[in-house]
């Protein structure tokens, strides 16, 4: 735990390094403002997608998430969320992936509104995600199935069994390219951080804040994972060339930040650190 706290104390330094790397990688695209269809932008997009897909073919992504799982602690989730994320950085990543630009403040605000509505369903979240164009309609079909399973599952084993079937379905969907499939695989890996079994997630934790988080955990963790996935993809693409440690720390911060929106929306009065 002491090592993890040192990691998070260096989070600002990490983001400065990521910012420098971002500037170097996307200098031509951001300065020249070329069309996405131009040779330079097209080449950059292909290289970015290829580098992302390669992580899934060579097993690097598994190594990353083994480190994330061993470092992440629900006990200290509030400690991981001291950083905000630069909207320009997010949009540089989206441009490199050939995805539409986002107003991230508006995106977060709209997500909070859906989250605050106790009557909102997975379909409401899927409709929200569709409007922003990061996911394809085929991806969202599978995402909804994954979220339904996550929310309805009573145990981690039950969810794992469903996930095995659901993963097989999206991996064999001919309407999805490799990037789309690997993005869904990344959702699965993020959800894998959150064990549904209460004993695992909350352990010996006590208090009103943790009680509230336990009651709302599936929507908070599940919706947070898919809604802020672009942050995780940015972390992976930008910090991996530096060190594995930075990638792990960035993923933990981004995942926690996505979850903290849900925690502070549903449990503001119960959690003093919101």
């Amino acid at each position: 735990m002491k090592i993890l706290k040192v990691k998070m104390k260096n989070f600002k330094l990490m983001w400065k390094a990521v910012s420098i790397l971002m500037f170097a990688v996307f200098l031509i695209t951001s300065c020249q403002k070329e069309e996405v269809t131009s040779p330079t932008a097209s080449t950059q997009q292909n290289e970015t997608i290829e580098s992302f897909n390669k992580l899934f073919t060579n097993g690097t992504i598994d190594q990353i998430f083994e480190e994330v799982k061993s470092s992440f602690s629900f006990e200290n989730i509030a400690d991981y969320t001291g950083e905000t994320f630069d909207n320009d950085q997010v949009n540089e990543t989206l441009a490199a992936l050939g995805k539409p630009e986002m107003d991230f403040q508006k995106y977060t605000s709209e997500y909070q509104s859906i989250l605050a509505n106790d009557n909102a369903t997975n379909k409401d979240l899927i409709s929200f995600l569709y409007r922003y164009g990061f996911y394809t309609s085929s991806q969202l079909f599978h995402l909804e199935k994954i979220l339904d399973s996550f929310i309805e599952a009573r145990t981690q084993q039950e969810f794992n069994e469903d996930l095995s079937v659901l993963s097989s379905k999206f991996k064999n969907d001919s309407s999805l390219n490799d990037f789309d499939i690997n993005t869904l695989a990344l959702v699965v890996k993020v959800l894998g951080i959150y064990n549904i079994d209460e004993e695992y997630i909350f352990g010996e934790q006590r208090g009103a804040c943790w009680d509230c988080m336990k009651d709302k955990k599936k929507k908070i963790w599940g919706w947070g994972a898919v809604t802020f996935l672009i942050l995780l993809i940015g972390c992976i693409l930008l910090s991996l060339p530096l060190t594995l440690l930075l990638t792990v720390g960035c993923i933990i911060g981004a995942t926690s930040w996505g979850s903290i929106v849900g925690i502070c929306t549903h449990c503001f009065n119960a959690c003093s650190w919101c």
Side-chain angles (χ1 to χ4, degrees):
M1 188 59 66
K2 185 177 291 185
I3 294 175
L4 182 57
K5 288 183 177 178
V6 170
K7 292 181 187 178
M8 302 317 297
K9 286 181 180 178
N10 290 329
F11 206 47
K12 283 191 176 181
L13 181 61
M14 182 274 289
W15 268 111
K16 289 180 181 178
V18 170
S19 298
I20 294 172
L21 178 66
M22 171 85 72
F23 179 75
V25 172
F26 298 113
L27 180 62
I28 296 176
T29 301
S30 60
C31 289
Q32 296 184 357
K33 305 295 183 183
E34 293 184 315
E35 296 294 327
V36 174
T37 55
S38 69
T40 301
S42 178
T43 300
Q44 179 64 65
Q45 179 183 333
N46 290 338
E47 290 177 352
T48 302
I49 291 175
E50 285 176 10
S51 68
F52 178 76
N53 288 340
K54 186 177 179 181
L55 300 177
F56 292 81
T57 58
N58 65 14
T60 302
I61 198 70
D62 296 321
Q63 180 186 0
I64 290 172
F65 272 87
E66 283 301 313
E67 293 290 333
V68 170
K69 285 183 180 180
S70 67
S71 300
F72 186 82
S73 168
F74 282 86
E75 180 182 1
N76 295 325
I77 192 169
D79 296 340
Y80 308 145
T81 58
E83 294 300 315
T84 57
F85 293 87
D86 191 314
N87 193 71
D88 292 335
Q89 290 181 349
V90 174
N91 281 320
E92 292 285 7
T93 303
L94 288 170
L97 295 171
K99 298 290 184 177
E101 194 172 286
M102 297 170 82
D103 180 339
F104 211 71
Q105 288 184 333
K106 181 181 178 182
Y107 180 80
T108 305
S109 177
E110 290 183 9
Y111 165 63
Q112 285 178 290
S113 297
I114 296 172
L115 193 64
N117 181 359
D118 288 334
N119 295 320
T121 66
N122 286 339
K123 289 188 181 297
D124 296 312
L125 180 69
I126 294 300
S127 296
F128 159 73
L129 294 172
Y130 181 76
R131 293 199 305 273
Y132 278 89
F134 176 73
Y135 297 98
T136 67
S137 57
S138 294
Q139 280 181 301
L140 289 172
F141 171 81
H142 292 286
L143 272 177
E144 185 176 356
K145 301 296 183 185
I146 292 170
L147 283 173
D148 285 344
S149 174
F150 183 70
I151 288 179
E152 293 170 6
R154 293 164 295 180
T155 66
Q156 186 65 31
Q157 181 178 353
E158 182 181 332
F159 179 56
N160 289 342
E161 290 172 355
D162 284 350
L163 209 51
S164 177
V165 175
L166 294 171
S167 295
S168 177
K169 287 183 177 179
F170 71 68
K171 288 176 181 177
N172 291 295
D173 187 340
S174 60
S175 68
L176 299 174
N177 59 35
D178 288 343
F179 176 80
D180 295 338
I181 290 172
N182 289 332
T183 301
L184 289 171
L186 185 57
V187 172
V188 170
K189 289 187 177 297
V190 175
L191 288 177
I193 300 173
Y194 312 121
N195 192 302
I196 292 173
D197 297 330
E198 294 180 359
E199 300 81 21
Y200 182 89
I201 294 181
F202 296 98
E204 299 298 322
Q205 300 301 331
R206 296 291 184 269
C209 179
W210 291 103
D211 288 341
C212 181
M213 289 168 62
K214 180 174 66 175
D215 291 340
K216 304 288 186 179
K217 65 181 181 293
K218 290 181 182 177
K219 183 176 285 190
I220 290 171
W221 309 138
W223 286 19
V226 299
T227 308
F228 292 90
L229 184 64
I230 181 57
L231 295 179
L232 274 73
I233 291 178
C235 286
I236 291 170
L237 289 175
L238 299 173
S239 60
L240 186 62
L242 301 177
T243 67
L244 176 62
L245 177 63
L246 295 183
T247 306
V248 171
C250 185
I251 288 175
I252 291 175
T255 303
S256 301
W257 193 69
S259 298
I260 217 79
V261 173
I263 294 170
C264 290
T265 297
H266 283 294
C267 304
F268 179 81
N269 293 327
C271 299
S272 59
W273 39 262
C274 282

